[in-house]
Amino acid sequence: MSLIELPYDPDVERETSPIFERVAHVIPRVEWPLHAPYVAAINRLKRERNAVILAHNYQVPEIYHTVADIVGDSLALAMQAAQTDADVIVLCGVHFMAETAKLVNPGKTVLVPDLQAGCSLADSITAHDVRLLRERYPGVPVVTYVNTSAEVKAESDVCVTSGNAVKIVEALGAPRVIFLPDEYLAKYVASRTNVEIIAWKGHCEVHERFTGAQLRAYRADDPTLRILAHPECPPDVLAEADYVGSTQGMIDDVGTHRAARVLLITECSMADNVSGTFPDVAFVRPCNLCPHMKRSTLPKILHSLEHLEHEVTVDPSVAERARAAVERMLAYSR
Ligand code: 13P
Ligand code: SF4
């Protein structure tokens, strides 16, 4: 893919200056001439193509704050994808998120700026693994985190996100469930319900690197610190947190508590993006970077819209069953 550099001319400066005013506290002025030509071109092309950009909370600020139409956690993106009347959806996130958008929008064009944007959790389990688990635990419902391939979703009874996992596991009314593939999210759900959880050994390569000792050291330094952690973190990390929840749950917690200093135990762009919304909160950032989320860039988004690449499709032999698992989740979330 050849990505051309666009010039920052007076027209672009004029057109994008209101956008820059909104993001000046998160994007340094010196960087704006690099981003602005892409921001202007992307926003123009979006209108021409009747396209919408859905961006996960881990996208870089120049995507999150300037070209995204909808931002949110995995649940919000799935719900909004199901509701959009745009012809084209550009999913700035990772591949499983785009597949989910395609499942609920089979007739629309769903694009990802970079096809390599994967996820260590999605890579940790195959459809064959799920079939073997079903043989081993006959009759036990299979609850699958959305961070999975469409093939794995197709073998599942219902999908969940970190934002609704506890609620859906409880709502199933079963004494035990198979919960795939994130071991730590499974343990977190098990700690919040009486339902017996059979887990898999998948891990998020970003969140598994945090440690409880790290959090205790920050807390010792500042006992007033409010610590928010994503449930993909190991149990000793979650034990130290004041709040555990999805990326959107963390943002909501920042807004509700308005703590002076907040420690975000998650991916690096979260603090940049949230501080755009809450400039009065000081974020402590022992963050870990998700290399997959960072594959989306403004030049690649422009390329996507210009060439309608890279289109995400789902094999029809799995799409119907995978869609059913996602639709069941969305029905629980309405
Ligand atoms: P959220 O659904 O909480 O946004 O999480 C998605 C994800 O990939 C976290 O690593
Ligand atoms: Fe996957 Fe972890 Fe990256 Fe989220 S942060 S996309 S779970 S690797």
Side-chain angles (χ1 to χ4, degrees):
M1 185 194 312
S2 73
L3 300 171
I4 34 154
E5 269 182 40
L6 298 179
Y8 183 59
D9 59 29
D11 284 346
V12 169
E13 186 175 0
R14 209 173 313 110
E15 190 180 335
T16 60
S17 74
I19 303 178
F20 181 67
E21 294 316 315
R22 278 198 280 115
V23 297
H25 47 295
V26 276
I27 299 178
R29 185 172 287 277
V30 66
E31 286 180 16
W32 190 243
L34 297 174
H35 301 316
Y38 292 96
V39 171
I42 290 167
N43 285 333
R44 231 175 287 135
L45 208 48
K46 258 191 331 190
R47 287 192 291 276
E48 281 172 35
R49 294 229 185 262
N50 188 27
V52 69
I53 296 184
L54 269 54
H56 185 261
N57 290 325
Y58 294 162
Q59 292 298 293
V60 287
E62 64 268 24
I63 293 175
Y64 186 92
H65 287 292
T66 71
V67 296
D69 300 289
I70 291 154
V71 293
D73 62 3
S74 309
L75 178 60
L77 297 185
M79 291 176 77
Q80 295 289 341
Q83 282 165 20
T84 181
D85 51 18
D87 297 317
V88 176
I89 297 172
V90 182
L91 200 308
C92 297
V94 290
H95 193 264
F96 76 79
M97 295 176 176
E99 269 190 343
T100 307
K102 182 67 183 177
L103 287 172
V104 295
N105 279 295
K108 292 190 197 299
T109 303
V110 176
L111 307 172
V112 280
D114 188 323
L115 268 179
Q116 305 294 317
C119 169
S120 66
L121 278 169
D123 288 345
S124 73
I125 190 160
T126 65
H128 181 66
D129 295 326
V130 186
R131 287 194 288 272
L132 289 178
L133 282 164
R134 278 207 190 270
E135 275 174 28
R136 186 159 167 201
Y137 301 102
V140 179
V142 175
V143 179
T144 296
Y145 195 26
V146 282
N147 297 37
T148 45
S149 66
E151 287 77 11
V152 166
K153 289 184 175 74
E155 300 297 330
S156 314
D157 293 295
V158 63
C159 288
V160 296
T161 71
S162 53
N164 59 20
V166 174
K167 178 175 145 189
I168 292 180
V169 164
E170 296 249 293
L172 290 176
R176 64 176 179 163
V177 303
I178 299 168
F179 189 102
L180 308 170
D182 186 351
E183 182 187 17
Y184 298 144
L185 178 61
K187 285 192 170 162
Y188 172 69
V189 172
S191 76
R192 303 290 302 269
T193 169
N194 290 326
V195 179
E196 185 193 336
I197 305 284
I198 300 160
W200 185 251
K201 283 245 176 266
H203 296 145
C204 162
E205 67 187 81
V206 175
H207 291 91
E208 70 175 349
R209 281 183 278 150
F210 293 107
T211 66
Q214 193 181 8
L215 270 62
R216 283 190 291 280
Y218 278 103
R219 182 90 79 190
D221 210 34
D222 177 2
T224 69
L225 200 58
R226 185 158 177 86
I227 302 183
L228 317 183
H230 197 277
E232 290 170 8
C233 295
D236 66 325
V237 171
L238 300 188
E240 300 296 331
D242 299 303
Y243 172 82
V244 176
S246 76
T247 54
Q248 192 55 49
M250 291 186 204
I251 296 171
D252 295 344
D253 187 272
V254 173
T256 308
H257 287 270
R258 290 301 177 113
R261 293 185 80 226
V262 171
L263 181 72
L264 282 183
I265 299 300
T266 191
E267 209 273 341
C268 299
S269 289
M270 267 288 282
D272 294 335
N273 292 334
V274 188
S275 70
T277 315
F278 302 104
D280 50 324
V281 177
F283 290 95
V284 186
R285 312 170 183 214
C287 67
N288 289 326
L289 200 98
C290 175
H292 313 290
M293 287 282 180
K294 272 25 202 190
R295 283 184 174 273
S296 303
T297 62
L298 289 174
K300 287 187 200 169
I301 296 170
L302 181 59
H303 181 93
S304 258
L305 281 166
E306 278 172 341
H307 302 278
L308 293 181
E309 282 182 355
H310 303 275
E311 187 163 2
V312 172
T313 54
V314 180
D315 187 329
S317 67
V318 300
E320 202 177 313
R321 287 174 297 132
R323 183 176 310 119
V326 172
E327 299 279 8
R328 261 176 236 128
M329 170 184 84
L330 295 177
Y332 279 114
S333 310
R334 276 175 201 125

